[in-house]
Amino acid sequence: MEKDVSPKKKGAVARLLDFAGPRKALTYLGCALSAASMLAGFGPYVCIWLVARDLIAAAPDWSAATGIAAYGWWALAFGALSIALYFAGLMCTHLAAFRCASNMRKRAVERLMHASLGYFDSHASGALRRVVDGCAAETEGLLAHKLPDTAGSIAMVVGMLALFFAFDWRLGLACLAPVVLSVCCMARMMSGRGMEFMSRYMESLVKMNKAGTEYVRGIPVVKVFQQTVYSFKAFHDAIREFTVLAQDYAIKWCQVPQSLSLTFINGVALFLVPTAILLAPGEGDFGSFLANFAFYAIFSAVIPTAMTRVMFMSEAAQSAADAITRVEDVLAAPVISAPEHPKAPDGNSVVFDDVSFTYEGTDAPALSHVSFEVPAGATVALVGPSGGGKTTAASLVPRFWDADGGRVLVGGVDVREMDPHDLMDRVAFVFQANRLFKQTILENVRAARPDATRGEVMAALRAAQCDDVVAKLPNGVDTPYGACGAHLSGGEVQRLMLARAILKDADVVVLDEATAFADPENEALIQKAFAELARGRTVLMIAHRLSTVRNADRIVVLDEGRVAEQGTHDELLAAGGLYERMWSDYQKAADWKITSAEVA
């Protein structure tokens, strides 16, 4: 398996913009336009100051202030220009953000399409969906709104600093003081524990999404036993963890600094008015001082807007950094590596040559020095106690995982030296947990070979003993499966899976628990379908019902990841080993019946 590691030295925004491709330039253009929009937005405030200056200078003869009408038109022009620039900037950043989110989803899904199938055993579908869809969506707000708003806020801060000291530096300092105090409060809130909280917050969202998906799937079981969400411990604990986490952060960590920050940025007058009162007695040109005070009083209304944008940007940046990290983790999922010079197998035999395998995160090996052979055209059964390594061994043939030691050979070639597409074309498998798509029965079976004709699909269904299944459906094979269509039993679904395998017409067949969900009637039909599927093919099958494997050409008994014994059914019974004990227990279970008890 190959596992890519994405470079994470760059910042979150830079890594996000890499997904935008050529549209990255639109993000920079949008931010520049947003900054220009904010600077243009200062124009009306300057015009108001000019109006106040002229009116104060002309008082009490207001008619002498002849230029105030022009200032009004200039203010209108600056306001319209600011809106137009901001709108154009948002158009640019939205185009880049949508492309970024789209590419992020596409690359994540493409990576998952090439990931080893074993990867999905250790990663829940709910968690993956949250990462692929939810995390990509979270980045849209950052790139489309928060980033240009931040550029505008930076321009606003620079413009504010210039205007603070352009007219009266003393009143400017009075307006600057609450800004500095507010920034200190936000820095306290967002750094250190704040960053740690955002990571834990996103982790709890993923966990809650995963548990919620499992809960929805398990609702029938919950209802049967008259339970509630509180009885579904994983979901309940995920909700409680998220609730406690959010409450603790909001109350214990953010309450004081957030309150102080909001008080400072909305209380500029508490700094400006006392400063003006102290300065006013010493002013020689009181009219000019009054005009300057009017400007700062009006302009101070911009400060809360600027600081709020900065605060939201900090939160969005933290969220986006965590989101991009999770997406990059998916993009680092191990994929089935293709050899530079693939080899073509000669024949259809399957050989396990001293194979060992250990699952990631565990110490005990699932398989340890396992060796056996499935000759071309033969049927070999894997049996043994639960946890013995049967499913693991079968999953190594189609490369759900790669062996840590030894080799798995198909046609004399190590599966790791074969082209993955060629290997998949040669191997058909029926999973222990079967999946039908929300499509028609015809399309479900045709999934094994999309170019198959309708006649070929029907022939595969007949071979898999599915005539009775098709006959009971209202529209035959054109009936959709699922909520608004057909509902089938476990054994019927199993036969459809066998029809898929028959239609694929692969040389090697892997059957994992082929009769796991079958009642006696379905089991008989499955056995007939299996006989058709096995004809002329190499078959590796797993079953707990020993009666289904007694006629296999060879039986391999796995126990604790090792080959305990192997041979034919009769040979293993004669050996008196583990298989003989399992057969004896199976016979006792098969003979067990419910009898009525006489009550005296």
Side-chain angles (χ1 to χ4, degrees):
M1 302 289 176
E2 289 183 350
K3 186 171 183 178
D4 294 344
V5 179
S6 301
K8 299 182 180 180
K9 294 182 180 180
K10 296 191 293 185
V13 174
R15 283 147 54 197
L16 274 177
L17 289 177
D18 288 341
F19 286 97
R23 290 192 179 180
K24 180 193 298 187
L26 289 177
T27 302
Y28 297 131
L29 176 60
C31 290
L33 291 173
S34 178
S37 167
M38 190 58 64
L39 293 178
F42 288 147
Y45 292 99
V46 175
C47 291
I48 292 174
W49 175 80
L50 292 172
V51 169
R53 183 198 63 182
D54 288 0
L55 287 175
I56 294 174
D61 184 12
W62 310 114
S63 60
T66 57
I68 59 174
Y71 296 146
W73 286 109
W74 276 108
L76 180 62
F78 277 119
L81 177 62
S82 177
I83 293 174
L85 290 174
Y86 187 63
F87 179 79
L90 287 185
M91 287 292 292
C92 292
T93 55
H94 272 78
L95 289 173
F98 293 151
R99 177 59 59 86
C100 177
S102 174
N103 287 344
M104 190 178 294
R105 291 187 178 99
K106 288 177 181 177
R107 286 185 57 185
V109 171
E110 182 181 5
R111 184 72 180 192
L112 292 176
M113 289 293 292
H114 292 88
S116 62
L117 295 182
Y119 175 80
F120 298 96
D121 289 338
S122 55
H123 294 77
S125 59
L128 289 175
R129 176 192 171 279
R130 165 68 189 168
V131 172
V132 173
D133 191 36
C135 290
E138 287 173 7
T139 63
E140 288 183 16
L142 173 70
L143 296 181
H145 292 281
K146 300 300 189 300
L147 205 58
D149 284 351
T150 300
S153 297
I154 293 174
M156 178 184 287
V157 170
V158 174
M160 283 169 53
L161 290 175
L163 291 177
F164 278 164
F165 300 101
F167 303 106
D168 191 319
W169 66 270
R170 299 164 299 176
L171 296 178
L173 284 178
C175 291
L176 184 62
V179 175
V180 174
L181 292 173
S182 178
V183 169
C184 292
C185 292
M186 284 194 293
R188 162 71 176 169
M189 191 167 54
M190 296 297 180
S191 62
R193 186 177 171 184
M195 291 295 292
E196 178 188 350
F197 159 77
M198 187 55 64
S199 178
R200 292 170 56 197
Y201 172 80
M202 296 298 297
E203 182 68 34
S204 67
L205 279 179
V206 171
K207 187 184 298 184
M208 192 162 56
N209 192 289
K210 172 184 173 182
T213 301
E214 294 175 353
Y215 173 71
V216 171
R217 290 176 177 172
I219 281 179
V221 177
V222 174
K223 286 188 174 182
V224 165
F225 291 99
Q226 298 292 307
Q227 301 299 310
T228 65
V229 67
Y230 295 100
S231 64
F232 200 84
K233 192 173 186 302
F235 192 26
H236 177 260
D237 289 349
I239 295 174
R240 182 173 179 80
E241 178 185 350
F242 175 79
T243 302
V244 171
L245 180 65
Q247 288 178 343
D248 285 350
Y249 179 75
I251 297 174
K252 296 181 179 179
W253 183 253
C254 293
Q255 188 176 40
V256 174
Q258 176 75 346
S259 300
L260 290 175
S261 175
L262 292 175
T263 301
F264 288 138
I265 62 175
N266 288 284
V268 178
L270 296 177
F271 295 83
L272 181 61
V273 173
T275 303
I277 293 174
L278 291 174
L279 295 175
E283 289 297 319
D285 187 355
F286 185 76
S288 177
F289 176 78
L290 187 61
N292 291 338
F293 173 77
F295 169 79
Y296 285 110
I298 296 172
F299 188 73
S300 64
V302 179
I303 297 176
T305 303
M307 298 309 300
T308 301
R309 285 183 174 182
V310 172
M311 182 173 61
F312 284 144
M313 175 57 194
S314 300
E315 178 185 353
Q318 288 178 330
S319 178
D322 187 84
I324 188 63
T325 299
R326 293 181 186 279
V327 172
E328 287 172 342
D329 288 341
V330 171
L331 294 178
V335 298
I336 300 177
S337 58
E340 185 176 352
H341 302 290
K343 298 180 180 179
D346 181 17
N348 304 319
S349 64
V350 176
V351 176
F352 277 63
D353 180 17
D354 196 35
V355 172
S356 297
F357 175 76
T358 302
Y359 286 103
E360 184 177 355
T362 62
D363 297 326
L367 295 175
S368 179
H369 304 287
V370 171
S371 298
F372 64 86
E373 180 180 0
V374 187
T379 297
V380 170
L382 298 178
V383 300
S386 296
K390 306 182 295 297
T391 299
T392 301
S395 67
L396 296 182
V397 177
R399 290 191 70 186
F400 288 11
W401 308 99
D402 279 340
D404 297 328
R407 300 181 300 164
V408 179
L409 309 173
V410 173
V413 177
D414 192 324
V415 293
R416 291 169 292 194
E417 297 178 349
M418 294 177 61
D419 184 280
H421 296 288
D422 185 23
L423 176 63
M424 287 300 176
D425 288 340
R426 292 175 179 272
V427 179
F429 32 85
V430 178
F431 293 103
Q432 184 176 17
N434 299 301
R435 299 285 185 190
L436 286 179
F437 304 119
K438 304 298 183 182
Q439 296 176 328
T440 63
I441 301 301
L442 177 72
E443 294 302 323
N444 265 287
V445 176
R446 188 181 275 161
R449 186 155 58 91
D451 60 345
T453 64
R454 185 182 182 91
E456 289 172 329
V457 174
M458 297 303 296
L461 287 167
R462 284 192 296 272
Q465 309 298 310
C466 295
D467 289 340
D468 61 320
V469 178
V470 175
K472 76 176 186 177
L473 299 176
N475 296 315
V477 293
D478 296 314
T479 304
Y481 174 82
C484 299
H487 295 275
L488 306 175
S489 68
E492 291 170 338
V493 172
Q494 192 79 52
R495 280 186 276 160
L496 290 178
M497 297 300 100
L498 289 171
R500 270 185 186 171
I502 292 172
L503 180 65
K504 186 174 183 180
D505 195 24
D507 298 323
V508 178
V509 178
V510 177
L511 296 175
D512 189 355
E513 303 290 352
T515 58
F517 303 106
D519 52 55
E521 180 181 356
N522 269 302
E523 183 177 355
L525 293 171
I526 288 174
Q527 289 302 318
K528 292 181 182 179
F530 166 69
E532 179 66 28
L533 176 62
R535 186 178 296 121
R537 296 182 175 91
T538 303
V539 179
L540 180 63
M541 66 179 299
I542 303 169
H544 285 305
R545 299 185 183 183
L546 298 184
S547 60
T548 62
V549 300
R550 62 182 301 175
N551 295 322
D553 297 308
R554 194 166 191 81
I555 299 172
V556 178
V557 184
L558 292 176
D559 184 25
E560 296 183 352
R562 297 178 177 272
V563 176
E565 52 187 347
Q566 54 182 307
T568 64
H569 174 73
D570 293 334
E571 290 171 349
L572 293 175
L573 287 182
L578 175 58
Y579 182 82
E580 190 277 332
R581 295 194 299 273
M582 292 174 59
W583 179 259
S584 177
D585 292 340
Y586 174 77
Q587 289 292 94
K588 292 178 181 178
D591 294 337
W592 180 84
K593 63 182 67 175
I594 299 176
T595 59
S596 60
E598 294 184 2
V599 181

